Amino acid sequence: MSGTAPGSEATPAHPAGSWGAAWLRAMEGAARDTARLARGRAYADPGRDGARSAAGAGAVSAPRVGTGRVLAYVHGSRARPYRAEWRLPVLSEEEWTAFLTAVAARPVLAAALLDGELPYDVVPVAHSAGVRLLPGAGDLLPACSCPDHGHPCKHAAALGYGTGRLLDADPWVLLLMRGRSAAAVRAEVTSLGAGCLDPSAERPRTRGGGVPARRSGGDVGGSLFDGRRPRATRLATEAFATSVRPPLPEPQPLPAVASEPGVYPELPGAPDADALAFLAADAAVRARCALSAVPVEHDGAEPRTVGEHDPLPDLSRWHDTVRLAATHPQLTGRRTLSVRFAGLARSVGRDPVELARAAAAWRQGGRAGLAVLEAAWDPPAGDFDRGRSALAGLGIAMTIHRNQLTHTTRPVQLRFGGDGRWYPYRDASGRGPADRGGSDRDSCGDAADWWPEGPSAADPVQALTGLGQR
């Protein structure tokens, strides 16, 4: 997902003659409230503690660039992210023809574009052709799904500042927002006579700071706002030219969280960008789970695995839906059920609250945690009885029903799972045990509104302590 590589500066400076600086001038010129800009800058800062806690590694996530717009989900203090967007006009066919004809007439500049670079020198060339390539303050229009009607709100401002960094990293994105992909631009320049230019000619200046412009295919991979560059690559024909193989490199360390998908442009005939980003985010989560189970060797010792369970088990449709609801970074919990979450529940014939409850159980213990939620059972003598005795020894009075122990004075419950772990639950109905009359029927969950809450534990006292109830 999005963020900044470790050690990055909080808010990198933009050279005065850079793509990012030009974007920020237009965005700040369009703003009507400088206070919201300041808050948006803090949201876009990947080093901000609040951003890290809300989105894992930055407040702006799942960014996408399309014709006439850039949009992303921006995390704030609430669990549900807001969808922020900036729109700008696309260039007309006449403007594109005038601009690219002017580029093709300059061999050095055309050769740079055909080589995958986009020097800042194209800006004055476009201006000389009567085309304003960079947006002005009156061209940018913010929008956001939050209730704030600021122009822009802090979420749109955060996206705006992130877009400035994006344009410095890959200025081809601006051309995509203006209506042409990198491939289309190069094809048209070639058709205008630039294909036969000498690629060894001296290149024009780049982004205003003397740093070579990023070569790009027009698509932005990885995180949009982290400033990382593509890794060095080697042609397959070179790698397989000989049967001698170098030793494999050491595996990369397992990331703390799954990274978010890169940008998916919205193009005619292409799959929906939102759907692609959603599926890619889930694939990243599952890939990280799979990596956690890869055997790791240590100094000749027996290989061991990072994880304890099969990371990609065969799941029923219901179980896979619960897994998706529990692990996908764009889905929300029981307090704020999004439209997408509700649609996911309907796809399996369940209501959103039922799916949210099941997702909470899955986060506690996967399929074992879900089984604890869905069915009561009669545990054999042994660990269950010892756990009950341990609680009684501490003066914690609990009523018993099958595998469930319910506190007699507090709205908490422990459920013993088939995996030998204790799963804590809390009654969200707002009625205490005294209000329910303390009957076994209610303690089993027929009238109470029991929700999985807190981590499971092998020790019932530890599980109960995780709820803050002793």
Side-chain angles (χ1 to χ4, degrees), residues 44-57:
D45 180 359
R48 189 175 64 88
D49 293 339
R52 287 189 181 276
S53 64

Side-chain angles (χ1 to χ4, degrees), residues 1 62 64 73 261-262 264 272-285 321 323-325 327-332 338 340-341 344:
M1 271 132 255
R64 295 183 300 284
Y73 290 94
Y264 294 96
D272 179 70
D274 282 341
L276 285 176
F278 184 85
L279 293 174
D282 179 54
V285 170
T321 301
R323 176 203 63 79
L324 185 64
T327 60
H328 199 285
Q330 293 179 21
L331 297 177
T332 59
S338 65
R340 175 172 282 163
F341 193 99
L344 185 64

Side-chain angles (χ1 to χ4, degrees), residues 28-103:
E28 292 173 348
R32 300 170 185 168
D33 187 343
T34 57
R36 285 184 173 88
L37 284 179
R39 296 184 68 184
R41 187 182 298 109
Y43 268 52
D45 180 359
R48 189 175 64 88
D49 293 339
R52 287 189 181 276
S53 64
V60 181
S61 64
R64 295 183 300 284
V65 176
T67 301
R69 66 174 181 169
V70 56
L71 61 91
Y73 290 94
V74 180
H75 297 259
S77 57
R78 300 178 59 181
R80 179 178 61 189
Y82 293 108
R83 178 185 170 118
E85 180 178 8
W86 283 93
R87 289 187 174 272
L88 68 162
V90 299
L91 299 181
S92 66
E93 290 293 333
E94 294 76 12
E95 289 174 318
W96 275 111
T97 300
F99 166 47
L100 296 180
T101 299
V103 169

Side-chain angles (χ1 to χ4, degrees), residues 3-5 8 12 165-166 168-169 214 223-230:
T4 296
S8 303
R165 289 197 292 269
L166 164 62
D168 278 341
R214 175 181 175 181
S223 172
L224 276 179
F225 302 139
D226 59 12
R228 288 177 289 182
R229 297 294 186 270

Side-chain angles (χ1 to χ4, degrees), residues 46-305:
R48 189 175 64 88
D49 293 339
R52 287 189 181 276
S53 64
V60 181
S61 64
R64 295 183 300 284
V65 176
T67 301
R69 66 174 181 169
V70 56
L71 61 91
Y73 290 94
V74 180
H75 297 259
S77 57
R78 300 178 59 181
R80 179 178 61 189
Y82 293 108
R83 178 185 170 118
E85 180 178 8
W86 283 93
R87 289 187 174 272
L88 68 162
V90 299
L91 299 181
S92 66
E93 290 293 333
E94 294 76 12
E95 289 174 318
W96 275 111
T97 300
F99 166 47
L100 296 180
T101 299
V103 169
R106 292 162 172 78
V108 173
L109 193 58
L113 265 68
L114 295 177
D115 199 31
E117 299 177 7
L118 187 61
Y120 195 77
D121 282 2
V122 300
V123 174
V125 170
H127 183 75
S128 68
V131 179
R132 191 174 64 182
L133 188 60
L134 295 172
D139 296 328
L140 298 181
L141 181 63
C144 186
S145 62
C146 75
D148 185 359
H149 297 294
H151 188 95
C153 68
K154 59 188 177 183
H155 310 102
L159 171 60
Y161 284 108
T163 303
R165 289 197 292 269
L166 164 62
L167 292 176
D168 278 341
D170 189 353
W172 286 97
V173 169
L174 178 63
L175 299 192
L176 181 57
M177 287 191 281
R178 285 299 210 178
R180 286 284 195 280
S181 67
V185 168
R186 288 195 290 268
E188 191 163 349
V189 170
T190 301
S191 70
L192 291 170
C196 60
L197 296 174
D198 180 9
S200 64
E202 181 183 355
R203 295 288 185 266
R205 67 185 180 90
T206 55
R207 293 195 298 265
V211 181
R214 175 181 175 181
R215 296 168 185 256
S216 171
D219 299 328
V220 183
S223 172
L224 276 179
F225 302 139
D226 59 12
R228 288 177 289 182
R229 297 294 186 270
R231 295 179 180 177
T233 59
R234 185 182 180 192
L235 292 176
T237 53
E238 298 176 4
F240 290 96
T242 174
S243 61
V244 178
R245 299 287 180 264
L248 294 175
E250 290 295 321
Q252 295 291 323
L254 187 68
V257 295
S259 61
E260 294 197 9
V263 60
Y264 294 96
E266 295 183 352
L267 301 174
D272 179 70
D274 282 341
L276 285 176
F278 184 85
L279 293 174
D282 179 54
V285 170
R286 302 194 73 189
R288 185 191 177 280
C289 290
L291 285 174
S292 70
V294 173
V296 179
E297 297 182 1
H298 289 277
D299 300 327
E302 288 295 322
R304 64 176 180 86
T305 58

Side-chain angles (χ1 to χ4, degrees), residues 391 396 398 407 412 414 460-470:
L391 293 169
I396 302 175
M398 309 283 278
H407 204 289
V412 295
L414 292 178
V461 178
Q462 181 181 352
L464 199 60
T465 304
L467 280 173
Q469 302 286 346
R470 282 291 302 273

